[in-house]
Amino acid sequence: HILEGKVMKDLRQFYINGQWVDPIASRDLNVENPSTEELVATISLGAAADVDVAVAAAKAAFPLYSQVSVEERIALMEKLLQIYKDRYDEMAMAISVEMGAPISFATAAQADCGRGHINAAIESLKQFEFERQMGNTRIVKEPIGVCGFITPWNWPINQISCKVAPALATGCTMVLKPSEIAPMSGYLFTEMMDQAGFPAGVYNMVNGDGPDVGAVISSHPDVDMVSFTGSTRAGILVAKAASETVKRVTQELGGKSPNIIFEDADLETAVSSGVINMMGNTGQSCNAPSRMLVHSSVYDRAVEIARQTAEQVPVDDPMKEGMHLGPLSSRVQFDKVQGLIEVGINEGAQLVVGGLGKPDGFDTGYYVKPTIFAGVNNQMTIAQEEIFGPVLSMIPFDTEEQAIEIANDTPYGLAAYFSTSDEERARRVAGQLRAGMISLNSASQDYAAPFGGYKQSGNGREWGEYGFDDFLEIKGITG
């Protein structure tokens, strides 16, 4: 168990070709618990030589695993799912310790993503059509080959499982680099993969940072596709590194998602749920509804509802049960969020609640105040930049056309939310919002729905059967 006792955990080995192995060259990194600032584990930072060995193992395993029957792949994945369920509480605790998610939230939401994505991939695999006839041609979907995965710290097992599960389902082999900020969940997941008994080399895990491992995976000539989740800035670097070898690149990047509240909406529900949704995971979600656009006729009332809601959002120790906010994931993230709150104040936005500094009673840990700005216009920095903290910008609008224009006026296009009681308006607006995921009247997404965005929010889709496409090549056999 990687979390037993108070001793700092030694997680310095990598998992390559079905074995736990030492790094070729030793380079340690300590992992910090962001709620206590205590060191909780040590990992190794890999290098190009480690990636080379892992990719070679994945390449060697591909000819065999790509031919494993669907039934056998289902059986292996069902074993993995059972192991995940058996070790579920360990996963929730690992996520809570490594990135500060409150334990109740880590149990209900964060850890559930691993279970949900493995299960969704199994169910999709059971009915997926890998072949069909089209005229004189047999259309065959085949696994793309060796896949490289680079995953973030904010929803760590979510992003690992929604890449690994469809790769396993479609017959690919892979090398994973989890976030070095929050690597404990990835290490635990790797233990589960080892227990499940997949053929050696199908799944490999190398810890490390972006420059020394991520960039090597992205540019590696024997990696056939790379799937990256993280910032748009880093995603651009991944795409550039991958371009030399003309490999497939899928990206799930940043967002600055609008939440439009029309005058005919249930105002109390729309505003309060919008605030709660924004504050969830301490604002560290790429699809967070971080810009609340409210019709001017109900704007002042909406600001008051938002203030009252945010004032009731508690901040507390992640080890305590209950639905409160924990800290941000790291000192770097804390400093970034504080800097952007200061920019919002300096640019003239009205600070409704929250602001600079830590909440009372939290001298240790990277805790922040749930913060709301009103009187924001869409040209302000806080309306354009992804803050990745519990900071909401409220923007007034006068007409439906103006609301859509403001909503789309962003480099991103990941998600969009809106509330209205008018069905015709709902159809009209949903068709004009330039985003990959639309939520109407606070509806939530399930594991079978496609996850991904337009514009600089990335390329490709993840989750469920839509997550299979990026792992498959299409072959036409005529005659």
Side-chain angles (χ1 to χ4, degrees):
H1 186 342
I2 68 168
L3 290 168
E4 283 173 354
K6 289 287 187 182
V7 179
M8 193 158 77
K9 298 302 161 194
D10 183 351
L11 309 180
R12 288 180 288 190
Q13 288 192 309
F14 303 149
Y15 186 77
I16 298 175
N17 204 32
Q19 301 289 326
W20 289 100
V21 300
D22 293 329
I24 291 170
S26 180
R27 190 158 67 102
D28 291 352
L29 177 72
N30 290 326
V31 180
E32 186 181 31
N33 180 334
S35 66
T36 63
E37 301 182 41
E38 294 174 345
L39 302 180
V40 290
T42 304
I43 63 167
S44 294
L45 294 175
D50 301 291
V51 175
D52 286 343
V53 177
V55 171
K59 185 179 180 181
F62 179 71
L64 174 65
Y65 187 66
S66 63
Q67 299 304 311
V68 167
S69 70
V70 167
E71 291 72 26
E72 288 177 271
R73 295 205 298 268
I74 289 170
L76 283 165
M77 293 181 70
E78 285 180 337
K79 186 174 182 184
L80 173 63
L81 180 60
Q82 187 56 54
I83 291 166
Y84 191 97
K85 290 177 178 177
D86 292 343
R87 303 188 71 178
Y88 189 95
D89 290 344
E90 287 181 65
M91 182 59 75
M93 181 61 73
I95 294 169
S96 184
V97 168
E98 70 186 355
M99 58 79 63
I103 191 62
S104 296
F105 179 75
T107 302
Q110 288 269 8
D112 189 65
C113 293
R115 180 208 60 79
H117 288 307
I118 297 167
N119 183 67
I122 292 169
E123 295 306 309
S124 297
L125 181 55
K126 287 177 180 177
Q127 51 81 44
F128 194 81
E129 292 186 358
F130 287 92
E131 293 189 20
R132 70 184 179 97
Q133 196 70 25
M134 192 176 72
N136 195 34
T137 302
R138 184 158 56 100
I139 308 298
V140 182
K141 294 183 177 181
E142 297 181 342
I144 194 169
V146 176
C147 304
F149 300 146
I150 303 167
T151 59
W153 46 259
N154 61 321
W155 285 85
I157 203 60
N158 174 70
Q159 290 306 136
I160 290 172
S161 60
C162 79
K163 298 181 194 302
V164 171
L168 295 172
T170 53
C172 296
T173 61
M174 66 214 74
V175 177
L176 166 69
K177 185 200 90 66
S179 168
E180 70 275 24
I181 305 297
M184 299 173 79
S185 52
Y187 202 95
L188 177 58
F189 181 79
T190 303
E191 289 184 358
M192 296 178 187
M193 286 293 299
D194 185 52
Q195 279 181 265
F198 284 87
V202 169
Y203 170 90
N204 305 274
M205 187 276 289
V206 176
N207 276 313
D209 58 22
D212 292 310
V213 173
V216 178
I217 289 173
S218 303
S219 62
H220 203 290
D222 289 332
V223 171
D224 299 291
M225 74 88 79
V226 60
S227 180
F228 170 82
T229 300
S231 70
T232 297
R233 178 193 58 78
I236 291 167
L237 296 176
V238 167
K240 286 180 176 179
S243 65
E244 292 289 333
T245 48
V246 199
K247 58 171 57 70
R248 185 176 298 169
V249 177
T250 66
Q251 302 160 310
E252 199 270 283
L253 307 175
K256 195 66 182 177
S257 301
N259 182 10
I260 307 171
I261 299 176
F262 290 103
E263 69 277 14
D264 60 354
D266 178 340
L267 194 66
E268 190 84 34
T269 299
V271 174
S272 59
S273 65
V275 171
I276 297 299
N277 194 2
M278 174 63 232
M279 302 298 172
N281 204 38
T282 320
Q284 299 169 121
S285 298
C286 50
N287 60 339
S290 52
R291 293 181 297 147
M292 185 179 285
L293 283 51
V294 185
H295 192 270
S296 54
S297 66
V298 293
Y299 182 79
D300 289 344
R301 175 67 185 138
V303 171
E304 180 58 22
I305 294 168
R307 182 187 65 78
Q308 292 173 4
T309 304
E311 285 178 345
Q312 294 170 22
V313 173
V315 177
D316 213 332
D317 182 347
M319 289 298 106
K320 290 184 181 177
E321 298 283 346
M323 300 313 289
H324 49 266
L325 300 192
L328 294 170
S329 64
S330 66
R331 182 180 297 277
V332 169
Q333 195 60 25
F334 177 85
D335 290 343
K336 177 193 172 187
V337 172
Q338 292 293 305
L340 283 164
I341 291 173
E342 188 170 18
V343 167
I345 294 169
N346 292 340
E347 289 187 351
Q350 175 199 344
L351 184 63
V352 175
V353 67
L356 292 167
K358 297 180 181 181
D360 291 342
F362 290 94
D363 297 329
T364 302
Y366 306 121
Y367 296 91
V368 292
K369 300 173 184 176
T371 297
I372 294 176
F373 285 104
V376 177
N377 68 62
N378 206 51
Q379 284 65 54
M380 288 182 179
T381 304
I382 55 171
Q384 287 293 316
E385 285 196 25
E386 186 176 37
I387 298 173
F388 236 56
V391 182
L392 175 65
S393 297
M394 299 185 70
I395 303 171
F397 68 87
D398 293 319
T399 65
E400 181 180 307
E401 293 73 22
Q402 186 186 22
I404 293 165
E405 182 183 350
I406 295 169
N408 290 336
D409 182 19
T410 167
Y412 302 111
L414 187 57
Y417 307 74
F418 69 98
S419 297
T420 180
S421 58
D422 183 334
E423 288 189 20
E424 281 300 315
R425 171 182 271 166
R427 273 189 283 272
R428 205 165 54 235
V429 172
Q432 295 178 74
L433 291 171
R434 297 283 295 165
M437 300 175 289
I438 309 295
S439 170
L440 173 60
N441 293 331
S442 308
S444 56
Q445 196 172 8
D446 63 46
Y447 290 116
F451 193 102
Y454 291 19
K455 299 189 283 186
Q456 291 186 28
S457 286
N459 299 291
R461 293 295 181 271
E462 297 182 316
W463 300 26
E465 68 173 275
Y466 297 97
F468 283 22
D469 290 345
D470 290 323
F471 295 94
L472 295 166
E473 290 282 21
I474 298 173
K475 179 183 286 182
I477 304 171
T478 304

